[in-house]
Coordinates of all heavy atoms in Angstrom, one line a residue:
E31 N 0.0 12.5 5.3 CA 0.4 13.6 6.0 C 1.5 13.2 7.0 O 1.5 12.0 7.4 CB -0.8 14.3 6.9 CG -1.8 14.8 6.0 CD -2.8 15.6 6.9 OE1 -2.5 16.7 7.5 OE2 -3.9 15.1 7.0
K32 N 2.5 14.0 7.2 CA 3.6 13.6 7.9 C 3.4 13.0 9.3 O 4.2 12.3 9.9 CB 4.7 14.7 8.1 CG 4.4 15.9 9.0 CD 5.5 16.9 9.0 CE 5.3 18.0 10.0 NZ 6.5 19.1 9.9
E33 N 2.3 13.5 9.9 CA 1.8 13.0 11.3 C 1.6 11.4 11.3 O 1.6 10.9 12.3 CB 0.6 13.7 11.7 CG 0.8 15.2 12.2 CD 1.0 16.1 11.0 OE1 0.7 15.8 9.8 OE2 1.3 17.3 11.2
M34 N 1.3 10.9 10.1 CA 1.1 9.4 10.0 C 2.1 8.7 9.3 O 2.0 7.4 9.2 CB -0.4 9.2 9.4 CG -1.6 9.7 10.2 SD -3.1 9.2 9.6 CE -3.1 10.1 8.1
V35 N 3.1 9.3 8.6 CA 3.6 8.6 7.6 C 4.6 7.5 8.2 O 4.8 6.5 7.5 CB 4.5 9.6 6.6 CG1 5.7 10.2 7.4 CG2 5.0 8.9 5.4
D36 N 5.3 7.7 9.3 CA 6.2 6.7 9.8 C 5.3 5.5 10.3 O 5.8 4.4 10.2 CB 7.0 7.3 10.9 CG 8.0 8.3 10.4 OD1 8.6 8.0 9.4 OD2 8.3 9.3 11.0
E37 N 4.3 5.8 11.0 CA 3.3 4.7 11.4 C 2.8 3.9 10.3 O 2.8 2.7 10.3 CB 2.1 5.4 12.1 CG 1.1 4.5 12.7 CD -0.1 5.1 13.4 OE1 -0.2 6.4 13.3 OE2 -0.9 4.4 13.9
A38 N 2.5 4.5 9.2 CA 2.1 3.9 8.0 C 3.2 3.0 7.3 O 3.0 1.9 6.9 CB 1.5 4.8 6.9
A39 N 4.4 3.6 7.4 CA 5.5 2.8 6.9 C 5.8 1.5 7.6 O 6.1 0.5 7.0 CB 6.8 3.7 6.8
Y40 N 5.6 1.6 8.9 CA 5.7 0.4 9.7 C 4.6 -0.6 9.4 O 4.9 -1.8 9.3 CB 5.8 0.8 11.2 CG 5.5 -0.5 12.2 CD1 6.7 -1.2 12.4 CD2 4.3 -0.8 12.6 CE1 6.6 -2.4 13.1 CE2 4.2 -2.0 13.4 CZ 5.3 -2.8 13.7 OH 5.1 -4.0 14.5
E41 N 3.4 -0.1 9.3 CA 2.2 -0.9 9.2 C 2.3 -1.8 7.9 O 1.8 -2.9 7.8 CB 1.0 -0.2 9.2 CG -0.3 -0.9 9.6 CD -0.3 -1.0 11.1 OE1 0.3 -0.3 11.9 OE2 -1.0 -1.9 11.7
F42 N 2.8 -1.1 6.8 CA 2.8 -1.8 5.5 C 4.2 -2.3 5.1 O 4.4 -2.3 3.8 CB 2.2 -0.8 4.5 CG 0.9 -0.2 4.8 CD1 0.6 1.2 4.8 CD2 -0.2 -1.0 5.4 CE1 -0.6 1.7 5.2 CE2 -1.3 -0.6 5.8 CZ -1.7 0.8 5.6
A43 N 5.0 -2.6 6.0 CA 6.3 -2.9 5.7 C 6.3 -4.3 4.9 O 7.4 -4.6 4.2 CB 7.2 -3.2 7.0
E44 N 5.4 -5.1 4.9 CA 5.4 -6.4 4.1 C 4.8 -6.2 2.8 O 4.5 -7.3 2.1 CB 4.5 -7.3 4.9 CG 5.0 -7.8 6.3 CD 4.1 -8.8 7.0 OE1 2.8 -8.6 7.0 OE2 4.7 -9.8 7.5
T45 N 4.6 -5.1 2.3 CA 4.0 -4.8 0.9 C 4.7 -5.5 -0.2 O 4.1 -6.2 -1.0 CB 3.8 -3.4 0.6 OG1 3.0 -2.8 1.6 CG2 3.3 -3.1 -0.7
E46 N 6.1 -5.4 -0.2 CA 6.8 -6.1 -1.3 C 6.7 -7.6 -1.2 O 6.7 -8.3 -2.2 CB 8.3 -5.7 -1.2 CG 9.3 -6.3 -2.2 CD 8.9 -5.9 -3.7 OE1 8.3 -4.9 -3.9 OE2 9.1 -6.6 -4.6
T47 N 6.7 -8.2 0.0 CA 6.4 -9.6 0.1 C 5.1 -10.1 -0.5 O 5.1 -11.0 -1.1 CB 6.5 -10.0 1.6 OG1 7.8 -9.6 2.1 CG2 6.4 -11.5 1.7
M48 N 4.0 -9.2 -0.2 CA 2.8 -9.5 -0.7 C 2.7 -9.4 -2.3 O 2.2 -10.2 -3.0 CB 1.7 -8.5 -0.2 CG 1.4 -8.7 1.3 SD 0.2 -7.5 1.8 CE 0.0 -7.8 3.5
L49 N 3.5 -8.3 -2.8 CA 3.6 -8.2 -4.2 C 4.2 -9.5 -4.8 O 3.7 -10.0 -5.9 CB 4.4 -7.0 -4.6 CG 3.7 -5.7 -4.8 CD1 4.6 -4.6 -5.0 CD2 2.8 -5.8 -6.1
K50 N 5.3 -9.9 -4.3 CA 6.1 -11.0 -4.9 C 5.2 -12.2 -4.7 O 5.2 -13.1 -5.7 CB 7.4 -11.2 -4.1 CG 8.5 -10.2 -4.5 CD 9.7 -10.4 -3.6 CE 10.8 -9.4 -4.1 NZ 12.1 -9.7 -3.4
T51 N 4.5 -12.5 -3.6 CA 3.7 -13.6 -3.6 C 2.5 -13.6 -4.6 O 2.2 -14.6 -5.2 CB 3.0 -13.6 -2.1 OG1 4.1 -13.6 -1.2 CG2 2.2 -14.9 -1.8
A52 N 1.9 -12.5 -4.8 CA 0.8 -12.3 -5.8 C 1.5 -12.7 -7.2 O 0.7 -13.3 -8.0 CB 0.3 -10.9 -5.8
E53 N 2.7 -12.2 -7.5 CA 3.2 -12.4 -8.8 C 3.4 -13.9 -9.0 O 3.3 -14.5 -10.1 CB 4.6 -11.7 -8.9 CG 4.4 -10.2 -9.1 CD 5.8 -9.6 -9.3 OE1 6.6 -9.7 -8.4 OE2 6.0 -8.9 -10.3
G54 N 3.9 -14.6 -7.9 CA 4.0 -16.1 -8.0 C 2.7 -16.9 -8.2 O 2.7 -18.0 -8.8
I55 N 1.5 -16.3 -8.0 CA 0.2 -16.9 -8.4 C -0.3 -16.4 -9.7 O -0.8 -17.2 -10.5 CB -0.8 -16.6 -7.2 CG1 -0.1 -17.1 -5.9 CG2 -2.1 -17.2 -7.5 CD1 -1.0 -16.6 -4.7
A56 N -0.3 -15.0 -9.8 CA -1.0 -14.4 -11.0 C -0.2 -13.9 -12.2 O -0.7 -13.5 -13.1 CB -1.8 -13.2 -10.4
G57 N 1.1 -14.0 -11.9 CA 1.9 -13.5 -13.1 C 2.6 -12.1 -12.8 O 2.4 -11.6 -11.8
P58 N 3.5 -11.7 -13.7 CA 4.3 -10.4 -13.4 C 3.3 -9.3 -13.2 O 2.3 -9.1 -13.7 CB 5.0 -10.2 -14.7 CG 5.1 -11.5 -15.5 CD 3.7 -12.2 -15.1
Y59 N 3.9 -8.4 -12.2 CA 3.1 -7.1 -12.0 C 3.6 -6.2 -13.0 O 4.7 -5.8 -13.3 CB 3.7 -6.5 -10.6 CG 3.0 -5.3 -10.2 CD1 1.8 -5.2 -9.7 CD2 3.8 -4.1 -10.2 CE1 1.2 -4.0 -9.4 CE2 3.3 -2.9 -9.8 CZ 1.9 -2.8 -9.3 OH 1.4 -1.7 -9.0
L60 N 2.5 -5.7 -13.7 CA 2.8 -4.8 -15.0 C 2.6 -3.3 -14.9 O 2.7 -2.6 -15.8 CB 1.8 -5.3 -16.0 CG 1.9 -6.9 -16.5 CD1 0.8 -7.1 -17.5 CD2 3.4 -7.1 -16.9
W61 N 2.5 -2.8 -13.5 CA 2.2 -1.5 -13.4 C 3.4 -0.6 -12.9 O 3.2 0.6 -12.6 CB 1.1 -1.2 -12.2 CG -0.2 -2.0 -12.7 CD1 -0.5 -3.4 -12.5 CD2 -1.2 -1.6 -13.5 NE1 -1.7 -3.7 -13.0 CE2 -2.1 -2.6 -13.6 CE3 -1.6 -0.3 -14.0 CZ2 -3.4 -2.5 -14.3 CZ3 -2.8 -0.2 -14.8 CH2 -3.7 -1.2 -14.9
G62 N 4.6 -1.2 -12.9 CA 5.7 -0.4 -12.4 C 5.8 -0.2 -11.0 O 6.3 -1.1 -10.2
I63 N 5.3 0.9 -10.5 CA 5.4 1.1 -9.1 C 4.0 0.8 -8.3 O 3.1 0.5 -9.0 CB 5.6 2.7 -8.8 CG1 4.3 3.5 -9.3 CG2 6.9 3.2 -9.4 CD1 4.4 5.0 -9.1
Y64 N 4.2 0.5 -7.0 CA 3.0 0.2 -6.3 C 3.1 1.1 -5.0 O 3.6 0.7 -4.0 CB 2.9 -1.3 -5.9 CG 1.6 -1.6 -5.2 CD1 0.5 -1.7 -5.8 CD2 1.7 -1.6 -3.7 CE1 -0.8 -1.9 -5.1 CE2 0.4 -1.8 -3.1 CZ -0.7 -1.9 -3.7 OH -1.9 -2.1 -3.0
D65 N 2.5 2.3 -5.1 CA 2.6 3.2 -3.9 C 1.3 3.1 -3.1 O 0.2 2.7 -3.7 CB 2.8 4.6 -4.4 CG 4.2 5.0 -4.8 OD1 5.1 4.0 -4.8 OD2 4.6 6.0 -5.0
L66 N 1.4 3.5 -1.9 CA 0.2 3.5 -1.0 C 0.0 4.9 -0.4 O 1.0 5.6 -0.1 CB 0.5 2.6 0.2 CG 0.6 1.0 -0.2 CD1 1.3 0.3 1.0 CD2 -0.7 0.5 -0.3
L67 N -1.2 5.3 -0.3 CA -1.6 6.5 0.2 C -2.6 6.4 1.3 O -3.6 5.9 1.1 CB -2.1 7.5 -0.9 CG -2.8 8.8 -0.4 CD1 -1.7 9.8 0.1 CD2 -3.7 9.4 -1.5
V68 N -2.2 6.8 2.5 CA -3.2 6.8 3.7 C -3.9 8.1 3.6 O -3.3 9.2 3.8 CB -2.5 6.6 5.0 CG1 -3.4 6.6 6.2 CG2 -1.7 5.3 5.0
L69 N -5.2 8.0 3.5 CA -6.1 9.2 3.3 C -6.6 9.7 4.6 O -6.5 9.0 5.7 CB -7.2 8.8 2.4 CG -6.9 8.9 0.9 CD1 -7.9 8.1 0.1 CD2 -6.8 10.1 0.3
P70 N -7.2 10.8 4.7 CA -8.0 11.2 5.8 C -9.0 10.4 6.2 O -9.5 9.5 5.4 CB -8.5 12.6 5.5 CG -7.6 13.1 4.4 CD -7.2 11.9 3.6
P71 N -9.5 10.3 7.5 CA -10.5 9.4 8.0 C -11.8 9.3 7.2 O -12.6 8.3 7.3 CB -10.8 9.8 9.4 CG -9.5 10.5 9.8 CD -9.1 11.3 8.5
T72 N -12.3 10.4 6.4 CA -13.5 10.4 5.8 C -13.5 9.5 4.6 O -14.7 9.2 4.1 CB -13.8 11.8 5.2 OG1 -12.6 12.3 4.6 CG2 -14.1 12.8 6.4
F73 N -12.3 8.9 4.2 CA -12.4 8.1 3.1 C -13.3 6.8 3.2 O -13.3 6.1 4.3 CB -11.0 7.5 2.8 CG -10.8 6.5 1.6 CD1 -11.1 7.0 0.3 CD2 -10.3 5.3 1.8 CE1 -11.0 6.3 -0.8 CE2 -10.2 4.4 0.6 CZ -10.5 4.9 -0.6
P74 N -14.2 6.6 2.3 CA -15.4 5.7 2.5 C -15.1 4.2 2.5 O -15.9 3.4 2.8 CB -16.4 6.0 1.5 CG -15.6 6.6 0.3 CD -14.3 7.3 1.0
F75 N -13.8 3.8 2.1 CA -13.6 2.4 1.8 C -12.2 2.0 2.6 O -11.5 2.8 3.0 CB -13.4 2.0 0.4 CG -14.6 2.4 -0.5 CD1 -14.5 3.5 -1.4 CD2 -15.8 1.6 -0.4 CE1 -15.7 3.9 -2.1 CE2 -16.8 1.9 -1.2 CZ -16.9 3.0 -2.0
G76 N -12.2 0.7 2.8 CA -10.9 0.1 3.4 C -9.7 0.5 2.4 O -8.6 0.8 2.9
G77 N -9.9 0.3 1.2 CA -8.9 0.6 0.3 C -9.5 0.8 -1.1 O -10.6 0.4 -1.4
M78 N -8.7 1.4 -2.0 CA -9.3 1.6 -3.5 C -8.0 1.3 -4.3 O -7.0 2.0 -4.1 CB -9.8 3.0 -3.6 CG -10.3 3.2 -5.1 SD -11.6 2.1 -5.6 CE -11.4 2.0 -7.3

């Protein structure tokens, strides 16, 4: 939701670095895009 999107963009700014680091260990990323969705607070897990 737009009320959180800029905050989330700041929080997850290192995502591409993490992706590249993972590729260096596990091999090429085969899924094309890697988007993140910040859900409402009822979401039961840290991430899915």
